[in-house]
Amino acid sequence: MIFRRRTCLRKVEPCEGSNAISLITNSALYATDYAVIVLQTQERSLQGAEAFIRYLQDTLINQFHAPTLDVAGILPVLLKNGAPVDLSTLSKAEKMFGKENMFKTTIKNMERLKRYDVTGVTFKDQFDRAVQEVYKNVVDELLNRISEE
């Protein structure tokens, strides 16, 4: 169903109801080439990602003809590493969006990320390097996905 060049939502029903997305967000999405859908591993986030992708397709692409908007992929963010609900949500997301549309890199729950809210991003030790490596992998994968187009 969506993505101009990808097949992410093959089984999603048409979007119903109103959306409360701001004019600023709509304008940014209209003008951008790619969006990454961040998916927290909980049921409501999965439903929200599904609805947001429908909104992108139905409103921004089909209705307003956003010239270049495409979804680069779905980036999973685990709320609790290895928890059954998280793993179940990831499995559902892969079936819903297609495994090829899911980022291979998964953001795992890391205590260091919470600390950055207080200290700011630091570059002091192996824990900082571990966090930086994860986000470097996300950027590399994003650039790779874009270059495949």
Side-chain angles (χ1 to χ4, degrees):
M1 172 179 160
I2 188 164
F3 306 65
R4 296 172 199 259
R5 296 169 283 284
R6 299 185 189 280
T7 55
C8 190
L9 285 181
R10 294 180 283 265
K11 302 174 187 170
V12 175
E13 298 300 318
C15 187
E16 295 179 12
S18 64
N19 293 290
I21 297 178
S22 76
L23 180 60
I24 293 170
T25 301
N26 280 331
S27 297
L29 287 166
Y30 183 87
T32 195
D33 293 329
Y34 299 97
V36 173
I37 308 300
V38 177
L39 174 69
Q40 289 185 333
T41 50
Q42 58 185 2
E43 185 63 28
R44 285 191 178 165
S45 183
L46 181 60
Q47 293 167 359
E50 181 182 30
F52 186 65
I53 291 171
R54 277 195 313 255
Y55 174 78
L56 293 177
Q57 181 70 55
D58 295 346
T59 304
L60 291 170
I61 293 172
N62 294 349
Q63 184 179 350
F64 295 117
H65 308 290
T68 58
L69 178 60
D70 196 5
V71 175
I74 313 293
L75 178 64
V77 177
L78 296 179
L79 294 179
K80 186 172 182 186
N81 302 336
V85 170
D86 293 63
L87 298 176
S88 172
T89 303
L90 280 177
S91 178
K92 288 178 186 177
E94 286 180 358
K95 288 176 187 155
M96 181 181 294
F97 302 122
K99 190 169 185 155
E100 70 281 3
N101 292 304
M102 301 292 293
F103 272 72
K104 291 176 183 68
T105 304
T106 299
I107 305 298
K108 295 182 178 170
N109 185 4
M110 295 178 272
E111 288 298 315
R112 186 56 54 114
L113 287 176
K114 291 189 242 178
R115 192 176 109 184
Y116 286 165
D117 284 347
V118 176
T119 64
V121 176
T122 57
F123 302 92
K124 295 180 181 176
D125 57 28
Q126 75 270 17
F127 302 109
D128 290 328
R129 285 189 292 280
V131 170
Q132 294 160 22
E133 184 65 23
V134 170
Y135 285 98
K136 179 188 178 304
N137 292 342
V138 170
V139 170
D140 289 346
E141 187 172 351
L142 175 61
L143 293 174
N144 192 33
R145 285 169 172 268
I146 290 170
S147 71
E148 289 176 354
E149 301 274 325

CSV table of all heavy atoms in Angstrom, one decimal, residues 17-61:
chain,number,residue,atom,x,y,z
A,17,GLY,N,-11.3,8.7,10.4
A,17,GLY,CA,-11.2,9.7,11.5
A,17,GLY,C,-10.3,10.8,11.2
A,17,GLY,O,-9.6,10.8,10.2
A,18,SER,N,-10.2,11.7,12.1
A,18,SER,CA,-9.4,12.9,11.9
A,18,SER,C,-8.0,12.7,12.5
A,18,SER,O,-7.8,11.9,13.4
A,18,SER,CB,-10.0,14.1,12.5
A,18,SER,OG,-10.1,14.0,13.9
A,19,ASN,N,-7.0,13.5,12.1
A,19,ASN,CA,-5.7,13.4,12.6
A,19,ASN,C,-5.4,14.8,13.2
A,19,ASN,O,-5.7,15.8,12.7
A,19,ASN,CB,-4.7,13.1,11.5
A,19,ASN,CG,-4.9,11.7,10.9
A,19,ASN,OD1,-4.6,10.7,11.6
A,19,ASN,ND2,-5.4,11.6,9.7
A,20,ALA,N,-4.6,14.7,14.3
A,20,ALA,CA,-4.3,16.0,15.0
A,20,ALA,C,-2.8,16.3,14.7
A,20,ALA,O,-2.0,16.4,15.7
A,20,ALA,CB,-4.6,15.8,16.4
A,21,ILE,N,-2.4,16.3,13.5
A,21,ILE,CA,-1.0,16.6,13.2
A,21,ILE,C,-0.9,18.1,12.8
A,21,ILE,O,-1.7,18.6,12.0
A,21,ILE,CB,-0.5,15.7,12.1
A,21,ILE,CG1,-0.5,14.3,12.5
A,21,ILE,CG2,0.9,16.1,11.6
A,21,ILE,CD1,-0.1,13.2,11.5
A,22,SER,N,0.1,18.8,13.4
A,22,SER,CA,0.2,20.2,13.2
A,22,SER,C,0.5,20.6,11.8
A,22,SER,O,1.1,19.8,11.0
A,22,SER,CB,1.2,20.8,14.2
A,22,SER,OG,2.5,20.5,13.7
A,23,LEU,N,0.2,21.9,11.5
A,23,LEU,CA,0.6,22.4,10.2
A,23,LEU,C,2.1,22.4,10.0
A,23,LEU,O,2.6,22.1,8.9
A,23,LEU,CB,0.1,23.8,10.1
A,23,LEU,CG,0.3,24.6,8.8
A,23,LEU,CD1,-0.3,23.8,7.6
A,23,LEU,CD2,-0.2,26.0,8.8
A,24,ILE,N,2.9,22.7,11.0
A,24,ILE,CA,4.3,22.7,11.0
A,24,ILE,C,4.8,21.3,10.6
A,24,ILE,O,5.7,21.1,9.7
A,24,ILE,CB,5.0,23.2,12.3
A,24,ILE,CG1,4.6,24.6,12.5
A,24,ILE,CG2,6.5,22.9,12.3
A,24,ILE,CD1,5.0,25.2,13.8
A,25,THR,N,4.3,20.2,11.3
A,25,THR,CA,4.7,18.9,11.0
A,25,THR,C,4.3,18.5,9.6
A,25,THR,O,5.1,17.9,8.8
A,25,THR,CB,4.0,17.9,12.0
A,25,THR,OG1,4.4,18.3,13.3
A,25,THR,CG2,4.4,16.5,11.7
A,26,ASN,N,3.1,18.8,9.2
A,26,ASN,CA,2.6,18.5,7.8
A,26,ASN,C,3.6,19.2,6.8
A,26,ASN,O,3.9,18.6,5.8
A,26,ASN,CB,1.2,19.0,7.6
A,26,ASN,CG,0.2,18.0,8.1
A,26,ASN,OD1,0.5,16.8,8.2
A,26,ASN,ND2,-0.9,18.5,8.5
A,27,SER,N,3.9,20.4,7.0
A,27,SER,CA,4.8,21.2,6.1
A,27,SER,C,6.2,20.5,6.0
A,27,SER,O,6.7,20.3,4.9
A,27,SER,CB,4.9,22.6,6.5
A,27,SER,OG,3.7,23.3,6.5
A,28,ALA,N,6.7,20.1,7.1
A,28,ALA,CA,8.0,19.5,7.2
A,28,ALA,C,8.0,18.1,6.4
A,28,ALA,O,8.9,17.8,5.6
A,28,ALA,CB,8.5,19.2,8.6
A,29,LEU,N,6.9,17.4,6.7
A,29,LEU,CA,6.8,16.1,6.0
A,29,LEU,C,6.6,16.3,4.5
A,29,LEU,O,7.1,15.5,3.7
A,29,LEU,CB,5.6,15.3,6.6
A,29,LEU,CG,5.9,14.7,7.9
A,29,LEU,CD1,4.6,14.2,8.6
A,29,LEU,CD2,6.9,13.6,7.9
A,30,TYR,N,5.8,17.3,4.1
A,30,TYR,CA,5.6,17.5,2.7
A,30,TYR,C,6.9,17.9,2.0
A,30,TYR,O,7.1,17.5,0.8
A,30,TYR,CB,4.6,18.7,2.5
A,30,TYR,CG,4.3,19.0,1.1
A,30,TYR,CD1,3.2,18.3,0.4
A,30,TYR,CD2,5.0,20.0,0.4
A,30,TYR,CE1,2.9,18.6,-0.9
A,30,TYR,CE2,4.6,20.2,-1.0
A,30,TYR,CZ,3.6,19.5,-1.6
A,30,TYR,OH,3.3,19.8,-2.9
A,31,ALA,N,7.8,18.6,2.7
A,31,ALA,CA,9.0,19.1,2.0
A,31,ALA,C,10.2,18.1,2.1
A,31,ALA,O,11.2,18.2,1.4
A,31,ALA,CB,9.4,20.4,2.7
A,32,THR,N,10.0,17.0,2.9
A,32,THR,CA,11.2,16.1,3.1
A,32,THR,C,11.2,15.0,2.1
A,32,THR,O,10.1,14.7,1.4
A,32,THR,CB,11.1,15.5,4.5
A,32,THR,OG1,12.4,14.9,4.8
A,32,THR,CG2,10.1,14.5,4.7
A,33,ASP,N,12.3,14.4,1.9
A,33,ASP,CA,12.4,13.2,1.1
A,33,ASP,C,12.1,11.9,1.8
A,33,ASP,O,11.5,11.0,1.2
A,33,ASP,CB,13.8,13.1,0.5
A,33,ASP,CG,14.1,14.3,-0.5
A,33,ASP,OD1,13.2,14.8,-1.1
A,33,ASP,OD2,15.3,14.7,-0.5
A,34,TYR,N,12.5,11.8,3.0
A,34,TYR,CA,12.4,10.6,3.8
A,34,TYR,C,11.9,10.8,5.2
A,34,TYR,O,12.3,11.8,5.8
A,34,TYR,CB,13.7,9.8,3.8
A,34,TYR,CG,14.2,9.4,2.5
A,34,TYR,CD1,15.2,10.2,1.8
A,34,TYR,CD2,13.8,8.3,1.8
A,34,TYR,CE1,15.6,9.9,0.5
A,34,TYR,CE2,14.2,8.0,0.5
A,34,TYR,CZ,15.1,8.8,-0.1
A,34,TYR,OH,15.5,8.4,-1.3
A,35,ALA,N,11.2,9.9,5.7
A,35,ALA,CA,10.8,9.9,7.1
A,35,ALA,C,11.2,8.5,7.7
A,35,ALA,O,11.1,7.5,7.0
A,35,ALA,CB,9.3,10.1,7.3
A,36,VAL,N,11.6,8.5,8.9
A,36,VAL,CA,11.8,7.2,9.7
A,36,VAL,C,10.7,7.1,10.7
A,36,VAL,O,10.5,8.1,11.5
A,36,VAL,CB,13.2,7.2,10.3
A,36,VAL,CG1,13.4,6.0,11.2
A,36,VAL,CG2,14.3,7.3,9.2
A,37,ILE,N,10.0,6.0,10.8
A,37,ILE,CA,9.0,5.8,11.8
A,37,ILE,C,9.7,5.1,13.0
A,37,ILE,O,10.2,4.0,12.8
A,37,ILE,CB,7.9,4.9,11.2
A,37,ILE,CG1,7.3,5.4,9.9
A,37,ILE,CG2,6.8,4.7,12.2
A,37,ILE,CD1,6.8,6.8,9.9
A,38,VAL,N,9.6,5.8,14.1
A,38,VAL,CA,10.2,5.2,15.3
A,38,VAL,C,9.1,4.4,16.0
A,38,VAL,O,8.0,5.0,16.3
A,38,VAL,CB,10.7,6.3,16.3
A,38,VAL,CG1,11.2,5.8,17.6
A,38,VAL,CG2,11.8,7.1,15.5
A,39,LEU,N,9.4,3.2,16.3
A,39,LEU,CA,8.4,2.3,16.8
A,39,LEU,C,8.8,1.8,18.2
A,39,LEU,O,9.7,0.9,18.3
A,39,LEU,CB,8.1,1.1,15.9
A,39,LEU,CG,7.2,0.0,16.4
A,39,LEU,CD1,5.8,0.5,16.5
A,39,LEU,CD2,7.3,-1.2,15.6
A,40,GLN,N,8.2,2.3,19.3
A,40,GLN,CA,8.4,1.7,20.6
A,40,GLN,C,7.7,0.3,20.6
A,40,GLN,O,6.6,0.2,20.0
A,40,GLN,CB,7.9,2.6,21.7
A,40,GLN,CG,8.7,3.8,21.9
A,40,GLN,CD,8.2,4.6,23.1
A,40,GLN,OE1,7.0,4.5,23.4
A,40,GLN,NE2,9.0,5.4,23.7
A,41,THR,N,8.3,-0.6,21.3
A,41,THR,CA,7.7,-1.9,21.3
A,41,THR,C,6.6,-2.1,22.3
A,41,THR,O,6.8,-2.8,23.4
A,41,THR,CB,8.9,-3.0,21.5
A,41,THR,OG1,9.6,-2.6,22.7
A,41,THR,CG2,9.8,-3.1,20.3
A,42,GLN,N,5.5,-1.5,22.0
A,42,GLN,CA,4.3,-1.6,22.8
A,42,GLN,C,3.1,-1.5,21.8
A,42,GLN,O,3.2,-0.9,20.8
A,42,GLN,CB,4.2,-0.6,23.9
A,42,GLN,CG,4.2,0.8,23.4
A,42,GLN,CD,4.2,1.8,24.6
A,42,GLN,OE1,4.2,1.4,25.8
A,42,GLN,NE2,4.2,3.0,24.3
A,43,GLU,N,2.0,-2.1,22.2
A,43,GLU,CA,0.9,-2.3,21.2
A,43,GLU,C,0.4,-0.9,20.7
A,43,GLU,O,0.1,-0.7,19.5
A,43,GLU,CB,-0.3,-3.0,21.9
A,43,GLU,CG,-1.4,-3.3,21.0
A,43,GLU,CD,-1.1,-4.2,19.8
A,43,GLU,OE1,-0.2,-5.0,19.9
A,43,GLU,OE2,-1.8,-4.1,18.7
A,44,ARG,N,0.2,0.1,21.6
A,44,ARG,CA,-0.3,1.4,21.2
A,44,ARG,C,0.7,2.1,20.2
A,44,ARG,O,0.2,2.8,19.3
A,44,ARG,CB,-0.5,2.3,22.4
A,44,ARG,CG,-1.8,1.9,23.1
A,44,ARG,CD,-2.2,2.9,24.1
A,44,ARG,NE,-3.4,2.5,24.7
A,44,ARG,CZ,-3.9,3.0,25.8
A,44,ARG,NH1,-3.2,4.0,26.4
A,44,ARG,NH2,-5.0,2.6,26.3
A,45,SER,N,2.0,1.9,20.4
A,45,SER,CA,2.9,2.4,19.4
A,45,SER,C,2.8,1.8,18.1
A,45,SER,O,2.9,2.4,17.0
A,45,SER,CB,4.3,2.3,20.0
A,45,SER,OG,5.3,2.9,19.1
A,46,LEU,N,2.6,0.5,18.1
A,46,LEU,CA,2.4,-0.2,16.8
A,46,LEU,C,1.2,0.3,16.1
A,46,LEU,O,1.2,0.5,14.9
A,46,LEU,CB,2.3,-1.7,17.1
A,46,LEU,CG,2.1,-2.6,15.9
A,46,LEU,CD1,3.3,-2.5,14.9
A,46,LEU,CD2,1.9,-4.1,16.3
A,47,GLN,N,0.1,0.4,16.8
A,47,GLN,CA,-1.1,1.0,16.2
A,47,GLN,C,-0.9,2.4,15.7
A,47,GLN,O,-1.4,2.8,14.7
A,47,GLN,CB,-2.3,1.0,17.2
A,47,GLN,CG,-2.7,-0.4,17.6
A,47,GLN,CD,-3.7,-0.5,18.8
A,47,GLN,OE1,-4.0,0.6,19.4
A,47,GLN,NE2,-4.1,-1.7,19.2
A,48,GLY,N,-0.2,3.2,16.5
A,48,GLY,CA,0.1,4.6,16.1
A,48,GLY,C,1.0,4.6,14.9
A,48,GLY,O,0.8,5.5,14.0
A,49,ALA,N,2.0,3.7,14.7
A,49,ALA,CA,2.8,3.7,13.5
A,49,ALA,C,2.0,3.3,12.3
A,49,ALA,O,2.1,3.9,11.2
A,49,ALA,CB,4.0,2.7,13.7
A,50,GLU,N,1.1,2.4,12.5
A,50,GLU,CA,0.2,2.0,11.4
A,50,GLU,C,-0.7,3.1,10.9
A,50,GLU,O,-0.8,3.4,9.7
A,50,GLU,CB,-0.6,0.8,11.9
A,50,GLU,CG,-1.6,0.2,10.8
A,50,GLU,CD,-2.4,-0.9,11.4
A,50,GLU,OE1,-2.7,-0.9,12.6
A,50,GLU,OE2,-2.8,-1.8,10.6
A,51,ALA,N,-1.2,3.8,11.9
A,51,ALA,CA,-2.1,5.0,11.6
A,51,ALA,C,-1.3,6.1,11.0
A,51,ALA,O,-1.8,6.8,10.0
A,51,ALA,CB,-2.8,5.5,12.8
A,52,PHE,N,-0.1,6.4,11.4
A,52,PHE,CA,0.7,7.4,10.9
A,52,PHE,C,1.1,7.2,9.5
A,52,PHE,O,1.1,8.0,8.6
A,52,PHE,CB,1.9,7.7,11.8
A,52,PHE,CG,2.8,8.9,11.4
A,52,PHE,CD1,2.2,10.1,11.5
A,52,PHE,CD2,4.0,8.7,10.9
A,52,PHE,CE1,3.0,11.2,11.1
A,52,PHE,CE2,4.8,9.8,10.5
A,52,PHE,CZ,4.3,11.1,10.6
A,53,ILE,N,1.5,5.9,9.2
A,53,ILE,CA,1.8,5.6,7.8
A,53,ILE,C,0.6,5.7,6.9
A,53,ILE,O,0.7,6.2,5.8
A,53,ILE,CB,2.5,4.2,7.7
A,53,ILE,CG1,3.8,4.2,8.4
A,53,ILE,CG2,2.6,3.7,6.3
A,53,ILE,CD1,4.5,2.9,8.6
A,54,ARG,N,-0.5,5.3,7.4
A,54,ARG,CA,-1.8,5.5,6.6
A,54,ARG,C,-2.0,7.0,6.3
A,54,ARG,O,-2.4,7.4,5.2
A,54,ARG,CB,-3.0,4.9,7.3
A,54,ARG,CG,-3.2,3.4,7.1
A,54,ARG,CD,-4.5,3.0,7.5
A,54,ARG,NE,-4.9,3.5,8.8
A,54,ARG,CZ,-5.0,2.8,9.9
A,54,ARG,NH1,-4.7,1.5,9.9
A,54,ARG,NH2,-5.4,3.4,11.0
A,55,TYR,N,-1.8,7.8,7.3
A,55,TYR,CA,-1.9,9.3,7.2
A,55,TYR,C,-1.0,9.8,6.1
A,55,TYR,O,-1.3,10.6,5.3
A,55,TYR,CB,-1.7,9.9,8.5
A,55,TYR,CG,-1.7,11.4,8.4
A,55,TYR,CD1,-2.9,12.1,8.4
A,55,TYR,CD2,-0.5,12.2,8.4
A,55,TYR,CE1,-2.9,13.5,8.2
A,55,TYR,CE2,-0.5,13.5,8.3
A,55,TYR,CZ,-1.7,14.2,8.2
A,55,TYR,OH,-1.7,15.6,8.1
A,56,LEU,N,0.3,9.4,6.2
A,56,LEU,CA,1.3,9.8,5.2
A,56,LEU,C,0.8,9.4,3.8
A,56,LEU,O,0.8,10.3,2.9
A,56,LEU,CB,2.6,9.2,5.5
A,56,LEU,CG,3.4,9.6,6.7
A,56,LEU,CD1,4.7,8.8,6.8
A,56,LEU,CD2,3.7,11.1,6.7
A,57,GLN,N,0.3,8.2,3.6
A,57,GLN,CA,-0.1,7.8,2.3
A,57,GLN,C,-1.4,8.5,1.9
A,57,GLN,O,-1.4,9.0,0.8
A,57,GLN,CB,-0.3,6.2,2.3
A,57,GLN,CG,-0.8,5.7,1.0
A,57,GLN,CD,0.4,5.7,0.0
A,57,GLN,OE1,1.4,5.2,0.2
A,57,GLN,NE2,0.1,6.3,-1.2
A,58,ASP,N,-2.4,8.4,2.7
A,58,ASP,CA,-3.7,9.0,2.3
A,58,ASP,C,-3.7,10.5,2.2
A,58,ASP,O,-4.3,11.0,1.3
A,58,ASP,CB,-4.8,8.5,3.3
A,58,ASP,CG,-5.0,7.1,3.4
A,58,ASP,OD1,-4.6,6.3,2.5
A,58,ASP,OD2,-5.6,6.6,4.3
A,59,THR,N,-3.1,11.2,3.1
A,59,THR,CA,-3.2,12.6,3.1
A,59,THR,C,-2.0,13.3,2.4
A,59,THR,O,-2.2,14.0,1.4
A,59,THR,CB,-3.3,13.1,4.6
A,59,THR,OG1,-4.4,12.5,5.2
A,59,THR,CG2,-3.5,14.6,4.6
A,60,LEU,N,-0.8,13.1,2.9
A,60,LEU,CA,0.3,13.8,2.3
A,60,LEU,C,0.7,13.4,0.9
A,60,LEU,O,1.0,14.2,0.0
A,60,LEU,CB,1.5,13.7,3.2
A,60,LEU,CG,1.3,14.5,4.5
A,60,LEU,CD1,2.5,14.2,5.5
A,60,LEU,CD2,1.3,16.0,4.2
A,61,ILE,N,0.6,12.1,0.6
A,61,ILE,CA,1.0,11.6,-0.7
A,61,ILE,C,-0.2,11.6,-1.7
A,61,ILE,O,-0.1,12.2,-2.7
A,61,ILE,CB,1.6,10.2,-0.6
A,61,ILE,CG1,3.0,10.3,0.1
A,61,ILE,CG2,1.8,9.6,-2.0
A,61,ILE,CD1,3.7,9.0,0.4
